[in-house]
Amino acid sequence: MHIKTDTKQTPVVSLANEHGIIAATTWRGQSACQTDAYSGFSLCYYSGDNECHSNKCHQELADYYGIKSDKIYIPRQTHSTNVKIITLENLADNHPVNCDAIVTCIPGIIIGVNTADCVPVLLYDPENRIIAAAHAGWRGAIGGVIKNTIDSMISLGAEQALVKAIICPAICADCFEVGEEVAMLFPENCVIRHPHSRPHVNLPEYVKTCLENEGIAGSNIYQSKECTRCQPLKYFSARASGIKSGRNFSFIMLRENITEAYGDYF
Ligand SMILES: [Zn+2]
């Protein structure tokens, strides 16, 4: 797995760069400060940020990858399990409403999800050239957003045996304390119980289990070791800053021209 934190101003961590597919996540960047929950690089247009700021970051990411800013697709996430397939027919809809995952086989567009502690998952079938980005908070993960996303990929021609998955930076088990009513929804192997405190859930591990249950081989799953809540100055974290804060953007794109270079890490 190719991982490199970009040293240029645009704060992008490359997570995959193979078969004409790029997958990456943003981090807050050098301008992040503790006292401003929106400071740093964030494309999120629905979590209370100044519109000029999110538009500026949107444009900067588009410029970084050499595409127009209307080629970035971000759902208006609602912790649902709904998936939107972007096709040539609905290409004008950059911000599909009430969905938490996007699937496409169209090259040259970035699809991604915003998170601040929830689990972003990027998926790709490099042979059939089908990609997906899903937002899995605990509600969506329990509800089946991972299954729905993979089913949508398969409907476009993807094959489970070929699908690779990237579990991007998200909240770790130590940081994810929940009530018993939430813990009881998860299999016991994803719940950590201590005698004198509330239960903790390992949400990234649960997402990995969901991927494996849908036929994705463990060897095709890359799991980031980074926790957003443990590093609130590097990543946006709703547990650290509240839900009125910026978001990390995890995204994937099929390159139109696989010999074309993006960024400076080729
Ligand atoms: Zn943590």
Side-chain angles (χ1 to χ4, degrees):
M1 190 62 64
H2 174 91
I3 301 172
K4 185 181 174 194
T5 300
D6 201 287
T7 51
K8 290 195 337 190
Q9 197 179 6
T10 304
V12 169
V13 182
S14 173
L15 297 167
N17 183 2
E18 56 173 343
H19 305 292
I21 292 163
I22 58 147
T25 192
T26 62
W27 58 291
R28 292 182 69 173
Q30 307 295 351
S31 62
C33 71
Q34 209 124 35
T35 53
D36 180 353
Y38 293 104
S39 63
F41 196 75
S42 171
L43 278 69
C44 193
Y45 57 92
Y46 54 81
S47 64
D49 199 356
N50 176 301
E51 198 179 321
C52 291
H53 178 239
S54 57
N55 285 344
K56 183 172 163 282
C57 296
H58 208 97
Q59 186 64 52
E60 188 177 330
L61 193 76
D63 291 347
Y64 183 75
Y65 288 104
I67 63 172
K68 291 184 176 165
S69 64
D70 66 358
K71 299 288 186 193
I72 298 177
Y73 290 72
I74 311 174
R76 175 64 182 85
Q77 299 163 205
T78 56
H79 293 275
S80 75
T81 60
N82 303 329
V83 183
K84 177 83 172 186
I85 299 178
I86 302 294
T87 63
L88 292 174
E89 286 69 41
N90 61 25
L91 208 47
D93 187 9
N94 307 77
H95 300 306
V97 296
N98 190 26
C99 77
D100 287 77
I102 292 182
V103 174
T104 196
C105 58
I106 297 174
I109 67 171
I110 283 177
I111 59 171
V113 289
N114 285 309
T115 60
D117 295 337
C118 289
V119 184
V121 186
L122 305 173
L123 297 130
Y124 59 103
D125 174 340
E127 301 295 323
N128 295 298
R129 296 184 64 72
I130 293 155
I131 57 173
H135 158 237
W138 72 261
R139 287 183 192 83
I142 288 289
V145 71
I146 299 298
K147 175 181 171 32
N148 292 354
T149 303
I150 293 171
D151 285 349
S152 296
M153 293 178 76
I154 291 168
S155 77
L156 289 183
E159 298 166 62
Q160 284 112 315
L162 299 174
V163 171
K164 297 186 178 187
I166 301 168
I167 299 170
C168 304
I171 195 162
C172 75
D174 284 348
C175 291
F176 194 36
E177 185 181 285
V178 299
E180 186 54 48
E181 72 285 0
V182 172
M184 65 186 288
L185 301 172
F186 287 84
E188 277 304 307
N189 67 318
C190 295
V191 180
I192 296 113
R193 295 182 193 282
H194 300 292
H196 304 297
S197 69
R198 301 208 305 165
H200 289 235
V201 164
N202 190 334
L203 194 56
E205 188 61 29
Y206 178 68
V207 167
K208 185 170 187 242
T209 303
C210 294
L211 290 163
E212 289 174 336
N213 287 346
E214 296 311 312
I216 312 304
S219 57
N220 279 343
I221 302 171
Y222 166 74
Q223 193 168 358
S224 171
K225 301 283 184 289
E226 290 198 282
C227 169
T228 46
R229 175 65 184 86
C230 285
Q231 305 177 86
L233 265 181
K234 180 171 184 184
Y235 293 110
F236 290 106
S237 165
R239 287 235 166 178
S241 309
I243 57 166
K244 292 286 179 193
S245 58
R247 296 289 184 270
N248 313 300
F249 184 57
S250 300
F251 58 95
I252 186 162
M253 173 169 72
L254 290 165
R255 289 191 284 146
E256 273 177 317
N257 177 353
I258 64 170
T259 61
E260 195 177 341
Y262 287 92
D264 64 353
Y265 43 80
F266 282 75

